[in-house]
Amino acid sequence: MASAKRLPRFRRVKPRAFVITARDREVLELVNENRLLTSAQIAALLGETSPHLLRRLQLLYHARFLDRPRTQIEDLVRNPGSRPMIYALGTAGAELLGVNPPKVPKLQYLEHAVTVSAVIVALTLSCRERGNVRVITWREILEEKVPEETKRKRSPDTWQVRLPGAGALGVTPDAIFGLHYLDKPEGANRAYFFLEVDRGTMPVVRRSLKETSVYRKLLAYHATAVGEIHTRHFGFKSFRVLTVTKSPEKKRLKSMVEAAGMLPGLQGIFLFIDEASLLAEDALGQEWVNGRGERQLL
């Protein structure tokens, strides 16, 4: 019997007729929530590893419910080999969910965006293993915590601070999420986080605050906490900043901890870890280093 014809990876063809299932919708909602997900991440979140899922993702792509960002083509050409396909929400998927299709990042930011998703996925799976804690998604925060004034903004996940020597700065975390501890009393069972994935391209400290640096970013979060901007803007009373560095060199992480130590207080709200350690196994069981150089869990 002849084998089935292989469909093109980045050129759509008319698919066979099919009906959207509840699991299909779950896939679309997961991709929409995380902006970008690889096929492996989708499988992990669904708890499904069968080849049928990959065929279904392929069908959803060709029917425009999912998109395969073409910016990954260049990476596949430069680094050939088998690797999970990256998916974003397609136009038909956005229409089904009643949302706007996301803007797909350019190639130089694609890996960064996938790493952001990998961190959230790792924490989500770790929460499931424990059973007594769950991830509070940005969408849930937006619907239940964020004041109406913020919701009406074009970019509700962005705010401004003023720094002496730097002027007004916009702050946009790579992700905003929370953890809901189900076995703790109400009022003391939720923690909120701003996530930063460090690509290792930005200097940790520069002479001038007018130039971008990790230290300037830390100062912006420090000013957010001191001015209680997070409470007015997002509706929660406290937060911590999680920085995941992609650099395997401990020297860069150490430099960032030292930069946090230069801040005028609140070093405890800053936590640092390298990507390899966080994603190696149980994410919630990994120790972070805070801005005082102390090791702690989330």
Side-chain angles (χ1 to χ4, degrees):
M1 184 173 66
S3 60
K5 182 179 179 182
R6 184 168 183 174
L7 297 176
R9 291 194 294 176
F10 295 100
R11 179 175 57 82
R12 286 188 172 93
V13 297
K14 186 177 180 179
R16 61 176 172 81
F18 70 102
V19 176
I20 291 291
T21 65
R23 191 184 67 162
D24 292 334
R25 189 179 182 97
E26 185 178 1
V27 168
L28 300 179
E29 289 174 345
L30 286 172
V31 174
N32 179 49
E33 181 63 47
N34 291 277
R35 189 183 181 195
L36 292 174
L37 285 176
T38 67
S39 57
Q41 290 169 342
I42 294 171
L45 289 170
L46 291 177
E48 161 119 31
T49 58
S50 71
H52 175 71
L53 175 61
L54 296 180
R55 291 193 293 270
R56 196 67 181 184
L57 294 177
Q58 183 183 65
L59 187 61
L60 291 171
Y61 163 70
H62 285 284
R64 299 185 182 277
F65 287 96
L66 289 175
D67 193 15
R68 291 171 173 171
R70 295 184 64 82
T71 46
Q72 65 189 298
I73 296 177
E74 185 177 334
D75 183 53
L76 290 169
V77 171
R78 290 188 314 192
N79 303 289
S82 178
R83 68 188 64 199
M85 187 68 69
I86 299 171
Y87 286 95
L89 193 65
T91 53
E95 183 178 352
L96 179 67
L97 298 183
V99 299
N100 295 322
K103 292 182 179 179
V104 178
K106 296 180 180 178
L107 177 62
Q108 62 266 40
Y109 305 117
L110 189 66
E111 183 184 359
H112 176 263
V114 171
T115 302
V116 172
S117 296
V119 172
I120 301 298
V121 169
L123 289 169
T124 300
L125 296 176
S126 186
C127 286
R128 288 183 186 175
E129 283 292 319
R130 279 166 164 70
N132 64 342
V133 59
R134 69 177 184 88
V135 169
I136 306 171
T137 66
W138 163 238
R139 189 169 305 279
E140 184 178 344
I141 294 171
L142 193 61
E143 291 175 354
E144 298 182 2
K145 296 287 292 183
V146 173
E148 288 299 324
E149 182 182 354
T150 300
K151 290 180 183 179
R152 290 193 294 268
K153 294 181 181 293
R154 183 175 180 181
S155 300
D157 59 343
T158 298
W159 67 97
Q160 278 200 336
V161 298
R162 296 194 68 85
L163 296 181
L169 296 177
V171 184
T172 307
D174 290 326
I176 303 172
F177 69 98
L179 291 177
H180 179 191
Y181 298 90
L182 305 176
D183 54 358
K184 293 184 179 181
E186 194 65 34
N189 60 350
R190 288 175 173 82
Y192 296 94
F193 305 93
F194 298 133
L195 174 66
E196 293 287 344
V197 171
D198 172 62
R199 298 165 59 223
T201 57
M202 182 185 296
V204 176
V205 179
R206 279 179 163 169
R207 291 185 178 181
S208 173
L209 288 179
K210 292 183 178 180
E211 299 177 296
T212 58
S213 68
V214 172
Y215 178 64
R216 190 178 79 165
K217 186 176 291 188
L218 298 179
L219 274 175
Y221 280 116
H222 182 276
T224 299
V226 171
E228 299 183 344
I229 297 173
H230 57 288
T231 303
R232 296 193 300 274
H233 198 82
F234 296 107
F236 44 78
K237 294 182 179 180
S238 62
F239 68 88
R240 281 178 283 175
V241 181
L242 307 181
T243 299
V244 179
T245 175
K246 292 184 65 63
S247 173
E249 299 179 5
K250 299 295 184 182
K251 182 179 179 181
R252 181 166 178 85
L253 191 148
K254 181 181 178 182
S255 296
M256 290 192 289
V257 172
E258 290 173 349
M262 297 163 53
L263 296 169
L266 298 180
Q267 285 86 358
I269 71 171
F270 297 96
L271 299 176
F272 305 88
I273 197 171
D274 65 277
E275 179 188 345
S277 297
L278 181 65
L279 302 183
E281 46 186 293
D282 177 26
L284 281 179
Q286 301 306 308
E287 287 188 330
W288 298 67
V289 182
N290 66 27
R292 295 189 290 265
E294 302 162 340
R295 293 189 172 274
Q296 67 174 80
L297 299 174
L298 284 185

